Amino acid sequence: MKRRGLVLFSGGLDSILASKVLEAQGIEVICIKFITPFFGQRALKDPEREKARVKEKYGLTLELIDISQEFIEMLHDPSHGYGKYLNPCLDCKILMVRKAVSLLEDFGASFVATGEVIGQRPMSQRRDAMRIVERDACADGLLLRPLCAKHMRPTKAEIEGIVDRSRLLGISGRGRKEQMRLAETFGIKDYPTPAGGCLLADPILSGRFKEIMDRYRDPDTNDFLLAQTGRHFFLEDGSWLVVGRNQGENRQIEALSRKDDIIIKAKNAPGPTALWRNYKDKASKEEVLAIFRRYVKKAPEDLCIVMNVLSAEAREDDSNLGHEQ
Ligand code: SF4
């Protein structure tokens, strides 16, 4: 009998506690952190460091799994709709639980657990919504919520004795007192605030993501990451100009540039790095240069702006777009 479970790990207190509650009864826990362009990106920058951090801080084993592609596909048309912004919370949970169930065999685990608490979130942690997640993720009997298990039907792991139901909890509602008390008993002092970190619930960024989805046929991870940095201009010809606001953003913009993008810089004055994407021809070139010029501080009379395409293939077209003196 495998006494091993996969816990969906957001990094917030509830998923830490769910893991600790299971560990306390001798179950081996593997924390799964799913990554998309909208959450978890920081962990992806240095996965080994993130794993070491979680191990050191909470004594937990972490695995990072990138589900960006499936997530973006779902985001176009989530069957249960969006929350207040572009957050498809129910479909997001369904996708993550379904994915975790599909990983059970690979990890030699018997069940999937989450840090959900019944009644805590209006959209995704109502009893009916929690039931929908189980049903649509094909996780019947496989999805355990250790923090509120006493309010739920026993799962297969409990029925088969892999998990001791009597040592699970019956927390409910929006209050955080119980969780804070529990954190204290596990000696967890330093933990992130709840519900932070999902950019789909950000009022400004979600609007930008939506614009990108409406304008471009198949936006990918790179498009959504680019949308998170700099100033953005969506031009009438369908092209997209991104202008860095500081050195960090300039570097990020350059790092995200890809085949056929045009990188714009001022040659003889300090100024931003800009990226022009999805241009069709040079029709908007003057408009793009005018926008760019606005952000070059103390531009000299003879400001020289360089437009560079990065790929060898696109470089051949460079002459068409030319350099601006
Ligand atoms: S807030 Fe974001 S990460 Fe959280 S459930 Fe909703 S869509 Fe998923």
Side-chain angles (χ1 to χ4, degrees):
M1 197 187 296
K2 290 175 238 158
R3 296 201 77 214
R4 186 183 294 158
L6 301 183
V7 177
L8 299 193
F9 191 79
S10 67
L13 179 60
D14 291 353
S15 55
I16 298 168
L17 291 177
S19 308
K20 298 309 270 182
V21 165
L22 292 171
E23 263 193 359
Q25 52 170 282
I27 291 164
E28 192 185 335
V29 167
I30 299 172
C31 298
I32 305 284
K33 188 176 179 72
F34 287 122
I35 312 284
T36 75
F38 315 104
F39 49 85
Q41 283 294 320
R42 210 180 309 154
L44 207 57
K45 276 188 188 137
D46 191 342
E48 291 314 312
R49 198 165 153 197
E50 178 64 5
K51 287 180 192 180
R53 187 187 70 83
V54 170
K55 191 69 164 177
E56 194 187 328
K57 214 163 176 182
Y58 310 116
L60 295 169
T61 302
L62 180 72
E63 290 292 337
L64 303 177
I65 295 177
D66 193 333
I67 53 165
S68 297
Q69 203 179 329
E70 295 135 279
F71 196 95
I72 292 170
E73 277 166 28
M74 174 276 286
L75 188 62
H76 282 282
D77 188 17
S79 44
H80 298 284
Y82 302 99
K84 192 170 176 195
Y85 298 106
L86 199 63
N87 46 317
C89 293
L90 230 73
D91 289 84
C92 169
K93 294 238 157 121
I94 291 165
L95 193 153
M96 291 199 270
V97 171
R98 193 189 303 127
K99 184 77 186 175
V101 167
S102 78
L103 294 170
L104 283 175
E105 212 178 299
D106 292 355
F107 282 99
S110 318
F111 65 93
V112 172
T114 71
E116 289 165 297
V117 166
I118 192 161
Q120 187 168 99
R121 300 259 167 86
M123 186 170 167
S124 58
Q125 294 187 25
R126 300 184 319 256
R127 182 182 292 277
D128 57 333
M130 288 164 92
R131 177 71 201 115
I132 288 169
V133 170
E134 226 169 282
R135 185 195 66 197
D136 291 6
C138 304
D140 245 338
L142 292 172
L143 183 55
L144 177 70
R145 279 99 170 191
L147 301 187
C148 63
K150 294 270 172 71
H151 299 293
M152 316 297 288
R153 287 181 310 182
T155 58
K156 225 168 131 207
E158 291 158 89
I159 294 164
E160 290 174 1
I162 297 170
V163 174
D164 179 354
R165 184 172 171 86
S166 72
R167 296 179 68 185
L168 300 176
L169 305 172
I171 307 176
S172 65
R174 301 178 72 105
R176 306 284 301 160
K177 270 196 191 140
E178 285 254 31
Q179 284 94 317
M180 282 150 99
R181 192 192 50 75
L182 201 58
E184 243 180 77
T185 65
F186 286 119
I188 300 165
K189 292 188 183 81
D190 179 19
Y191 44 84
T193 48
C198 176
L199 301 179
L200 293 169
D202 178 286
I204 294 169
L205 283 175
S206 60
R208 200 176 292 152
F209 297 145
K210 173 93 174 54
E211 173 102 41
I212 288 163
M213 280 164 46
D214 289 346
R215 289 174 77 100
Y216 307 119
R217 200 153 18 113
D218 288 312
D220 60 12
T221 297
N222 181 294
D223 289 309
F224 288 114
L225 293 179
L226 184 62
Q228 296 168 32
T229 192
R231 289 186 180 86
H232 296 257
F233 302 88
F234 295 101
L235 279 63
E236 255 177 46
D237 68 347
S239 64
W240 174 17
L241 179 70
V242 185
V243 183
R245 287 173 297 191
N246 52 48
Q247 272 192 3
E249 288 191 349
N250 292 344
R251 272 198 297 272
Q252 239 174 322
I253 286 171
E254 212 157 338
L256 286 167
S257 65
R258 63 187 182 199
K259 181 175 174 286
D260 294 341
D261 287 339
I262 292 178
I263 288 287
I264 307 168
K265 291 183 185 188
K267 203 173 176 186
N268 55 347
T273 296
L275 183 153
W276 190 18
R277 179 168 288 183
N278 290 328
Y279 58 89
K280 289 187 188 70
D281 48 44
K282 56 184 176 182
S284 328
K285 186 178 150 194
E286 288 310 319
E287 193 184 349
V288 164
L289 290 171
I291 297 170
F292 181 82
R293 248 187 231 111
R294 262 191 257 154
Y295 297 102
V296 180
K297 284 181 204 140
K298 297 182 191 151
E301 287 273 302
D302 63 341
L303 176 67
C304 174
I305 300 173
V306 184
M307 295 179 123
N308 266 328
V309 275
L310 296 180
S311 72
E313 172 198 341
R315 214 168 267 138
E316 284 170 20
D317 293 331
D318 198 15
S319 53
N320 291 333
L321 287 148
H323 293 168
E324 180 78 359
Q325 296 286 337

